[in-house]
């Protein structure tokens, strides 16, 4: 019998039956391909050191510089090298970045080794935990960050911004000058620390008034000193930690003679003491008075703490960790964004003048939440600054399952083959670039690298459809920044006062400023690296219309 005369199954069941082995073979083939895909096939820059790798070159440089160069040579996913030739993927492809954030808590965990350092500062807080623990804690905290709660802090933000304006005006008056160069970043950090102290746990730092406070000093530049400008041997140290059990690493880091970490330990000890004292007072207040009028986050959480529902109750150590997170995650990020906002506006004087006009048109120094929300240029400025200058330029992840990354643009491999999705094995480490997403020309057009707040406006000059969630500045998905509404309102309120009252222009120092990533996007004058964050701008009185 000829082959062609073999009976061909014609009914649906038989067709399905025949399709099963074919489908199974296809699935098996895909799984095998995923498993056996070798990341060495992904292109990346040459690396001269097997021992140190080349990740540190990127983290120690100006944010975005090397990333852009590598993307133009190798594509939007680049293979870098950690010490001992371990692959690290630099992820800049927009679809892949979104995918990582969306599945962060389950599949793309925090980087194990870097997380040990965050743990020293924060304990078992939200930005340090993964999986179900993370989901539970986030559910408890979310109500404290709702739009209604956040609105109630506007008066405080306006007052603190007013204090900063007064301080800089006093500086000009006492020097009897109309303008002077001021290191804006230093006072900005103090002003936002004062705000977060009250907002988070009703604590008065009075940092802007120059009150000596051990905690203020301990937290000054702490993230930059811990994570900023890593050296090759720091990356080697991290890699060696990867071979050790977690308990031994924790022992080494907490008891070892590492100056950076000793400073972090000291800051943590101080913060723990202060927060534990405040916490005890709040718990007594919450249980005795049932005072629902207090809006600070600690009061809100304390009320939850007295809840009868076990699942909705934070433990003592979780409460302390949460408060430390508010100070660390909420302060440097916001003050940095504000500092970069002044820098961008100083470099764009016409736009600064237009924004000032919009502020003066309000005829008030105490705008309501609704008024701030309705201000076209103010919101366009905040969105554009957050796009161009994301406080966290890069986040670190480690895959805990085999995954396939979807890609916006096909990726060319070393052998010339193009792939439209990238299989990545479990355990792979990744640097996920928020900055690359925010400046990607496929999303933002050919002028993606330029500061242009008007890109947020439609043809009628009104705020268009895009909003704060269109950039990756606050992350995305299950780990999206809990405090984004706080940050946006605080930045709006501060810019309203600062631009309304004062005028900012570049100085000789600000022309030299570079953007250091690694930790928080920090403005640094390279030849004065030891001085830490600096943004020297010329500050003068604004012309009142
Ligand atoms: C401009 C200011 C801010 C920026 C750019 C920013 C950015 C971010 C980003 C990118 C993440 C996600 C990190 C990741 O996926 O690994 C994050 C998480 C977080 N942020 Fe912010 N943040 C800002 C302000 C704040 C403020 C004011 C607070 C609190 C008052 C805050 C609290 C948090 C917390 C608790 C998390 C962890 C969320 C989670 O893991 O579920 N942030 N932030």
């Amino acid at each position: 019998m000829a082959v062609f005369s073999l009976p061909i199954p014609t009914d649906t069941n038989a067709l399905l039956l025949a399709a099963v082995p074919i489908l199974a073979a296809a699935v098996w083939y895909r799984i095998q391909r995923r498993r056996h895909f070798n990341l060495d096939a992904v292109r990346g820059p040459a690396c001269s050191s097997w021992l140190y790798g080349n990740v540190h070159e990127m983290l120690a440089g100006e944010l975005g510089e090397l990333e852009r160069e590598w993307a133009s040579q190798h594509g939007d996913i680049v293979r870098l090298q950690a010490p001992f030739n371990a692959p690290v993927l630099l992820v800049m492809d927009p679809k892949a970045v979104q995918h990582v954030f969306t599945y962060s808590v389950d599949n793309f965990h925090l980087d194990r080794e870097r997380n040990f350092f965050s743990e020293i500062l924060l304990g078992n807080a939200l930005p340090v935990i993964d999986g179900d623990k993370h989901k539970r804690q986030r559910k408890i905290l979310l109500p404290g960050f709702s739009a209604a709660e956040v609105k109630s802090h506007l008066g405080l933000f306006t007052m603190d911004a007013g204090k900063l304006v007064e301080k800089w005006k006093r500086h000009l008056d006492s020097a009897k000058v109309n303008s002077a160069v001021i290191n804006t970043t230093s006072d900005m950090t103090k002003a936002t620390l004062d705000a977060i102290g009250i907002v988070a746990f009703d604590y008065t730092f009075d940092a802007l008034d120059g009150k000596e406070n051990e905690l203020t000093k301990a937290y000054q530049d702490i993230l930059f000193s811990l994570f900023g400008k890593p050296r090759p041997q720091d990356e080697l140290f991290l890699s060696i930690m990867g071979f050790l059990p977690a308990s031994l690493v924790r022992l080494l880091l907490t008891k070892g003679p590492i100056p950076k970490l000793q400073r972090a330990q000291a800051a943590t000890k101080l913060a723990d003491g202060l927060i534990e004292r405040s916490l005890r007072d709040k718990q007594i207040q919450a249980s005795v008075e049932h005072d629902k009028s207090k809006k600070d986050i600690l009061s809100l959480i304390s009320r939850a703490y007295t809840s009868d529902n076990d699942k909705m109750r934070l433990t003592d150590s979780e409460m302390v960790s949460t408060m430390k997170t508010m100070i660390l995650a909420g302060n440097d990020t916001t003050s940095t964004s504000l500092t970069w906002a002044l820098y961008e506006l100083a470099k764009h004087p016409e736009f600064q003048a237009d924004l000032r006009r919009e502020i003066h048109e309000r005829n008030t120094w105490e705008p309501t939440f609704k008024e701030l929300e309705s201000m076209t240029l103010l919101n366009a400025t905040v969105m554009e600054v957050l796009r161009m200058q994301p406080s966290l330029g890069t986040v670190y992840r480690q895959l805990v399952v085999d995954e396939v990354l979807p890609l916006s643009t096909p990726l060319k491999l070393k052998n010339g083959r193009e792939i439209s999705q990238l299989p990545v094995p479990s355990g792979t480490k990744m640097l996920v670039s928020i900055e690359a997403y925010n400046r990607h020309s496929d999303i933002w057009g050919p002028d993606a690298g330029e500061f242009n707040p008007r890109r947020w406006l439609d043809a009628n000059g009104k705020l268009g459809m895009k909003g704060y969630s269109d950039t990756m500045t606050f992350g995305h998905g299950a780990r999206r920044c809990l405090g984004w509404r706080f940050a946006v309102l605080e930045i709006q309120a501060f810019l309203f006062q600062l631009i309304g009252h004062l005028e900012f222009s570049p100085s000789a120092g600000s022309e030299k400023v570079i953007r250091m990533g690694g930790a928080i996007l920090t403005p640094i004058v390279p030849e004065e690296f030891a001085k830490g964050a600096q943004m020297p701008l010329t500050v003068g009185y604004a012309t009142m219309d």
Side-chain angles (χ1 to χ4, degrees):
M1 191 194 283
V3 175
F4 293 115
S5 62
L6 276 172
I8 297 167
T10 46
D11 68 286
T12 324
N13 284 345
L15 270 176
L16 281 174
L17 217 65
V20 168
I22 297 170
L23 272 175
V27 170
W28 183 84
Y29 175 70
R30 265 189 92 91
I31 291 171
Q32 291 308 308
R33 251 191 68 201
R34 259 162 98 173
R35 248 194 214 136
H36 296 125
F37 185 83
N38 188 346
L39 291 177
D40 288 345
V42 178
R43 294 180 300 157
C47 175
S48 56
S49 171
W50 172 86
L51 186 63
Y52 292 126
N54 56 8
V55 168
H56 63 91
E57 287 172 24
M58 182 193 128
L59 298 179
E62 182 161 16
L63 180 72
E65 288 285 292
L66 272 178
E67 289 93 316
R68 267 184 283 282
E69 191 185 316
W70 289 338
S72 70
Q73 291 166 2
H74 311 294
D76 282 340
I77 306 263
V78 174
R79 185 201 189 277
L80 299 180
Q81 233 172 272
F84 313 121
N85 198 21
V88 174
L89 291 183
L90 168 59
V91 180
M92 297 178 278
D93 178 279
K95 236 188 199 173
V97 171
Q98 270 177 347
H99 185 84
V100 173
F101 277 115
T102 306
Y103 298 100
S104 267
V105 173
D106 292 318
N107 297 356
F108 299 86
H109 279 193
L110 302 162
D111 179 285
R112 176 182 178 270
E113 283 74 48
R114 283 173 217 277
N115 215 28
F116 285 123
F117 288 82
S118 313
E119 234 181 61
I120 293 180
L121 285 173
L122 301 178
N124 57 347
L126 206 55
V128 183
I129 52 180
D130 276 302
D132 288 343
K133 273 190 192 169
H134 178 275
K135 287 179 193 155
R136 176 188 149 270
Q137 212 183 100
R138 191 168 166 106
K139 200 170 162 195
I140 298 177
L141 294 176
L142 262 175
F145 294 86
S146 68
E149 298 300 344
V150 170
K151 269 189 220 173
S152 66
H153 301 300
L154 174 58
L156 172 82
F157 294 147
T158 299
M159 189 182 79
D160 274 333
K163 278 190 187 169
L164 181 57
V165 168
E166 287 314 311
K167 183 168 181 187
W168 286 347
K169 279 186 176 174
R170 274 200 307 278
H171 181 85
L172 299 180
D173 292 345
S174 64
K176 296 196 171 51
V177 289
N178 284 328
S179 67
V181 175
I182 294 178
N183 176 14
T184 51
T185 190
S186 159
D187 283 334
M188 193 69 86
T189 313
K190 290 175 184 149
T192 51
L193 184 66
D194 284 346
I196 200 75
I198 303 276
V199 163
F201 50 110
D202 202 14
Y203 177 80
T204 318
F205 279 105
D206 279 340
L208 194 60
D209 292 341
K211 191 171 146 188
E212 275 293 306
N213 184 313
E214 278 183 285
L215 193 61
T216 316
K217 251 196 273 165
Y219 272 160
Q220 184 89 31
D221 270 355
I222 187 114
L223 290 176
F224 186 67
S225 81
L226 199 55
F227 298 106
K229 206 166 170 53
R231 300 159 306 161
Q233 55 268 42
D234 293 333
E235 287 299 308
L236 181 61
F237 180 61
L238 276 171
S239 290
I240 292 170
M241 277 164 45
F243 297 109
L244 305 178
S247 50
L248 182 60
V249 173
R250 287 197 181 97
L251 191 76
L252 272 174
L253 295 186
T254 47
K255 306 277 183 240
I258 307 168
K260 270 184 185 185
L261 294 180
Q262 283 169 339
R263 194 190 148 195
Q265 299 275 2
T268 301
K269 215 167 151 198
L270 262 171
D272 284 355
L274 166 74
I275 292 167
E276 272 160 20
R277 276 197 302 282
S278 298
L279 189 59
R280 268 196 302 278
D281 297 348
K282 295 279 165 183
Q283 281 166 2
I284 294 166
Q285 225 173 31
S287 57
V288 174
E289 299 169 14
H290 292 286
D291 180 0
K292 296 231 163 44
S293 64
K294 285 267 182 196
K295 292 289 186 192
D296 63 276
I297 300 171
L298 186 53
S299 291
L300 288 165
I301 300 170
S302 295
R303 288 203 283 275
Y305 183 83
T306 55
S307 151
D308 295 333
N309 182 349
D310 283 353
K311 286 191 190 141
M312 292 304 283
R313 196 181 298 145
L314 291 179
T315 64
D316 274 356
S317 80
E318 283 175 326
M319 298 267 285
V320 173
S321 295
T322 301
M323 290 305 118
K324 284 191 291 196
T325 304
M326 294 306 122
I327 304 177
L328 277 174
N331 185 39
D332 282 358
T333 46
T334 313
S335 71
T336 295
S337 304
L338 273 162
T339 305
W340 286 110
L342 297 186
Y343 170 83
E344 293 290 6
L345 290 169
K347 289 202 329 185
H348 297 86
E350 311 84 29
F351 188 81
Q352 188 186 152
D354 289 348
L355 173 60
R356 184 169 299 111
R357 214 164 294 123
E358 185 186 65
I359 293 169
H360 290 172
E361 275 166 16
R362 292 282 134 187
N363 283 321
T364 177
W365 288 116
E366 289 178 20
T368 61
F369 179 77
K370 230 174 161 180
E371 278 173 316
L372 288 179
E373 286 295 289
S374 70
M375 290 177 66
T376 311
L377 296 186
L378 179 66
N379 283 287
T381 306
V382 181
M383 288 185 206
E384 185 66 349
V385 169
L386 291 173
R387 181 184 76 84
M388 287 284 287
Q389 310 287 5
S391 312
L392 288 181
T394 316
V395 296
Y396 307 94
R397 290 291 192 268
Q398 184 163 12
L399 251 176
V400 290
V401 291
D402 288 344
E403 257 283 1
V404 178
L405 285 183
L407 302 172
S408 307
T409 314
L411 185 70
K412 197 170 181 183
L413 301 175
K414 274 185 191 160
N415 63 7
R417 188 162 73 92
E418 284 200 348
I419 51 172
S420 55
Q421 47 181 18
L422 176 68
V424 188
S426 175
T428 305
K429 298 209 174 224
M430 295 178 176
L431 298 167
V432 185
S433 177
I434 288 179
E435 215 247 3
Y437 185 97
N438 283 1
R439 292 186 182 209
H440 206 290
S441 54
D442 286 359
I443 306 176
W444 307 97
D447 69 341
E450 282 159 39
F451 178 79
N452 173 19
R454 295 190 197 276
R455 77 173 72 245
W456 296 90
L457 310 183
D458 62 19
N460 303 317
K462 301 258 177 279
L463 279 172
M465 293 299 284
K466 286 185 180 243
Y468 287 100
S469 52
D470 281 290
T471 69
M472 270 301 152
T473 301
F474 293 113
H476 175 72
R479 296 207 88 97
R480 186 168 193 224
C481 176
L482 208 61
W484 74 269
R485 285 199 186 89
F486 266 91
V488 167
L489 186 63
E490 190 170 0
I491 297 169
Q492 288 171 336
F494 266 70
L495 284 185
F496 190 98
Q497 302 297 327
L498 290 167
I499 302 300
H501 287 283
L502 299 165
E503 190 171 308
F504 298 85
S505 40
S507 71
S510 71
E511 304 288 350
K512 296 184 199 157
V513 161
I514 62 160
R515 309 179 325 134
M516 289 295 297
I520 298 285
L521 182 59
T522 308
I524 292 284
V525 178
E527 65 245 40
E528 296 176 0
F529 183 80
K531 287 190 182 170
Q534 284 196 79
M535 179 59 83
L537 290 175
T538 308
V539 183
Y541 285 99
T543 321
M544 294 293 164
D545 299 323

